[in-house]
PDB file of all heavy atoms in Angstrom:
ATOM      1  N   LYS S1084      12.675  10.873 -27.474  1.00  0.00           N
ATOM      2  CA  LYS S1084      13.831  10.093 -27.035  1.00  0.00           C
ATOM      3  C   LYS S1084      13.447   9.289 -25.798  1.00  0.00           C
ATOM      4  O   LYS S1084      12.459   9.590 -25.126  1.00  0.00           O
ATOM      5  CB  LYS S1084      15.023  11.001 -26.718  1.00  0.00           C
ATOM      6  CG  LYS S1084      15.740  11.537 -27.946  1.00  0.00           C
ATOM      7  CD  LYS S1084      17.061  12.198 -27.564  1.00  0.00           C
ATOM      8  CE  LYS S1084      17.851  12.574 -28.797  1.00  0.00           C
ATOM      9  NZ  LYS S1084      19.193  13.111 -28.442  1.00  0.00           N
ATOM     10  N   VAL S1085      14.244   8.270 -25.514  1.00  0.00           N
ATOM     11  CA  VAL S1085      14.019   7.385 -24.368  1.00  0.00           C
ATOM     12  C   VAL S1085      15.132   7.616 -23.358  1.00  0.00           C
ATOM     13  O   VAL S1085      16.304   7.734 -23.724  1.00  0.00           O
ATOM     14  CB  VAL S1085      14.040   5.896 -24.813  1.00  0.00           C
ATOM     15  CG1 VAL S1085      13.854   4.977 -23.611  1.00  0.00           C
ATOM     16  CG2 VAL S1085      12.969   5.651 -25.855  1.00  0.00           C
ATOM     17  N   TRP S1086      14.749   7.675 -22.072  1.00  0.00           N
ATOM     18  CA  TRP S1086      15.752   7.866 -21.029  1.00  0.00           C
ATOM     19  C   TRP S1086      16.333   6.532 -20.587  1.00  0.00           C
ATOM     20  O   TRP S1086      15.616   5.595 -20.273  1.00  0.00           O
ATOM     21  CB  TRP S1086      15.151   8.571 -19.815  1.00  0.00           C
ATOM     22  CG  TRP S1086      16.108   8.613 -18.643  1.00  0.00           C
ATOM     23  CD1 TRP S1086      16.047   7.891 -17.498  1.00  0.00           C
ATOM     24  CD2 TRP S1086      17.299   9.399 -18.550  1.00  0.00           C
ATOM     25  NE1 TRP S1086      17.109   8.173 -16.678  1.00  0.00           N
ATOM     26  CE2 TRP S1086      17.902   9.099 -17.294  1.00  0.00           C
ATOM     27  CE3 TRP S1086      17.925  10.321 -19.396  1.00  0.00           C
ATOM     28  CZ2 TRP S1086      19.093   9.692 -16.877  1.00  0.00           C
ATOM     29  CZ3 TRP S1086      19.106  10.915 -18.974  1.00  0.00           C
ATOM     30  CH2 TRP S1086      19.672  10.603 -17.724  1.00  0.00           C
ATOM     31  N   ARG S1087      17.642   6.448 -20.596  1.00  0.00           N
ATOM     32  CA  ARG S1087      18.388   5.329 -20.023  1.00  0.00           C
ATOM     33  C   ARG S1087      19.419   5.894 -19.045  1.00  0.00           C
ATOM     34  O   ARG S1087      19.707   7.082 -19.064  1.00  0.00           O
ATOM     35  CB  ARG S1087      19.103   4.530 -21.117  1.00  0.00           C
ATOM     36  CG  ARG S1087      18.163   3.764 -22.055  1.00  0.00           C
ATOM     37  CD  ARG S1087      17.611   2.522 -21.376  1.00  0.00           C
ATOM     38  NE  ARG S1087      16.779   1.726 -22.285  1.00  0.00           N
ATOM     39  CZ  ARG S1087      17.257   0.834 -23.134  1.00  0.00           C
ATOM     40  NH1 ARG S1087      18.554   0.629 -23.233  1.00  0.00           N
ATOM     41  NH2 ARG S1087      16.434   0.141 -23.906  1.00  0.00           N
ATOM     42  N   ARG S1088      19.966   5.038 -18.230  1.00  0.00           N
ATOM     43  CA  ARG S1088      20.924   5.508 -17.232  1.00  0.00           C
ATOM     44  C   ARG S1088      22.125   6.224 -17.844  1.00  0.00           C
ATOM     45  O   ARG S1088      22.729   7.091 -17.223  1.00  0.00           O
ATOM     46  CB  ARG S1088      21.405   4.331 -16.375  1.00  0.00           C
ATOM     47  CG  ARG S1088      20.324   3.793 -15.447  1.00  0.00           C
ATOM     48  CD  ARG S1088      20.833   2.621 -14.630  1.00  0.00           C
ATOM     49  NE  ARG S1088      19.786   2.092 -13.763  1.00  0.00           N
ATOM     50  CZ  ARG S1088      19.934   1.044 -12.970  1.00  0.00           C
ATOM     51  NH1 ARG S1088      21.103   0.401 -12.936  1.00  0.00           N
ATOM     52  NH2 ARG S1088      18.940   0.617 -12.234  1.00  0.00           N
ATOM     53  N   ASP S1089      22.472   5.825 -19.072  1.00  0.00           N
ATOM     54  CA  ASP S1089      23.618   6.456 -19.725  1.00  0.00           C
ATOM     55  C   ASP S1089      23.213   7.624 -20.620  1.00  0.00           C
ATOM     56  O   ASP S1089      24.017   8.127 -21.398  1.00  0.00           O
ATOM     57  CB  ASP S1089      24.413   5.417 -20.526  1.00  0.00           C
ATOM     58  CG  ASP S1089      23.534   4.613 -21.485  1.00  0.00           C
ATOM     59  OD1 ASP S1089      22.300   4.755 -21.410  1.00  0.00           O
ATOM     60  OD2 ASP S1089      24.087   3.856 -22.292  1.00  0.00           O
ATOM     61  N   GLY S1090      21.961   8.068 -20.514  1.00  0.00           N
ATOM     62  CA  GLY S1090      21.539   9.256 -21.251  1.00  0.00           C
ATOM     63  C   GLY S1090      20.313   9.028 -22.120  1.00  0.00           C
ATOM     64  O   GLY S1090      19.635   8.004 -22.023  1.00  0.00           O
ATOM     65  N   TRP S1091      20.041  10.002 -22.993  1.00  0.00           N
ATOM     66  CA  TRP S1091      18.874   9.964 -23.869  1.00  0.00           C
ATOM     67  C   TRP S1091      19.214   9.277 -25.182  1.00  0.00           C
ATOM     68  O   TRP S1091      20.232   9.568 -25.807  1.00  0.00           O
ATOM     69  CB  TRP S1091      18.373  11.384 -24.146  1.00  0.00           C
ATOM     70  CG  TRP S1091      17.781  12.054 -22.957  1.00  0.00           C
ATOM     71  CD1 TRP S1091      18.402  12.928 -22.107  1.00  0.00           C
ATOM     72  CD2 TRP S1091      16.449  11.904 -22.465  1.00  0.00           C
ATOM     73  NE1 TRP S1091      17.542  13.326 -21.123  1.00  0.00           N
ATOM     74  CE2 TRP S1091      16.332  12.724 -21.314  1.00  0.00           C
ATOM     75  CE3 TRP S1091      15.335  11.168 -22.884  1.00  0.00           C
ATOM     76  CZ2 TRP S1091      15.144  12.820 -20.583  1.00  0.00           C
ATOM     77  CZ3 TRP S1091      14.165  11.263 -22.164  1.00  0.00           C
ATOM     78  CH2 TRP S1091      14.071  12.074 -21.023  1.00  0.00           C
ATOM     79  N   LEU S1092      18.323   8.367 -25.614  1.00  0.00           N
ATOM     80  CA  LEU S1092      18.532   7.591 -26.832  1.00  0.00           C
ATOM     81  C   LEU S1092      17.307   7.663 -27.724  1.00  0.00           C
ATOM     82  O   LEU S1092      16.188   7.863 -27.252  1.00  0.00           O
ATOM     83  CB  LEU S1092      18.800   6.122 -26.485  1.00  0.00           C
ATOM     84  CG  LEU S1092      19.938   5.806 -25.514  1.00  0.00           C
ATOM     85  CD1 LEU S1092      19.916   4.321 -25.158  1.00  0.00           C
ATOM     86  CD2 LEU S1092      21.282   6.192 -26.107  1.00  0.00           C
ATOM     87  N   THR S1093      17.501   7.490 -29.023  1.00  0.00           N
ATOM     88  CA  THR S1093      16.368   7.371 -29.945  1.00  0.00           C
ATOM     89  C   THR S1093      16.029   5.902 -30.120  1.00  0.00           C
ATOM     90  O   THR S1093      16.910   5.047 -30.241  1.00  0.00           O
ATOM     91  CB  THR S1093      16.684   7.992 -31.313  1.00  0.00           C
ATOM     92  OG1 THR S1093      17.882   7.412 -31.840  1.00  0.00           O
ATOM     93  CG2 THR S1093      16.874   9.500 -31.190  1.00  0.00           C
ATOM     94  N   LYS S1094      14.738   5.590 -30.123  1.00  0.00           N
ATOM     95  CA  LYS S1094      14.268   4.216 -30.255  1.00  0.00           C
ATOM     96  C   LYS S1094      13.068   4.169 -31.201  1.00  0.00           C
ATOM     97  O   LYS S1094      12.152   4.989 -31.094  1.00  0.00           O
ATOM     98  CB  LYS S1094      13.846   3.649 -28.891  1.00  0.00           C
ATOM     99  CG  LYS S1094      14.984   3.477 -27.894  1.00  0.00           C
ATOM    100  CD  LYS S1094      15.819   2.257 -28.225  1.00  0.00           C
ATOM    101  CE  LYS S1094      16.888   2.021 -27.178  1.00  0.00           C
ATOM    102  NZ  LYS S1094      17.704   0.833 -27.474  1.00  0.00           N
ATOM    103  N   SER S1095      13.060   3.188 -32.073  1.00  0.00           N
ATOM    104  CA  SER S1095      11.964   3.033 -33.034  1.00  0.00           C
ATOM    105  C   SER S1095      10.901   2.049 -32.582  1.00  0.00           C
ATOM    106  O   SER S1095       9.776   2.082 -33.078  1.00  0.00           O
ATOM    107  CB  SER S1095      12.518   2.552 -34.388  1.00  0.00           C
ATOM    108  OG  SER S1095      13.411   3.487 -34.936  1.00  0.00           O
TER     109      SER S1095
END
Side-chain angles (χ1 to χ4, degrees):
K1084 284 191 173 185
V1085 178
W1086 172 253
R1087 292 284 184 84
R1088 290 179 181 178
D1089 52 352
W1091 291 97
L1092 305 172
T1093 55
K1094 294 284 184 180
S1095 298

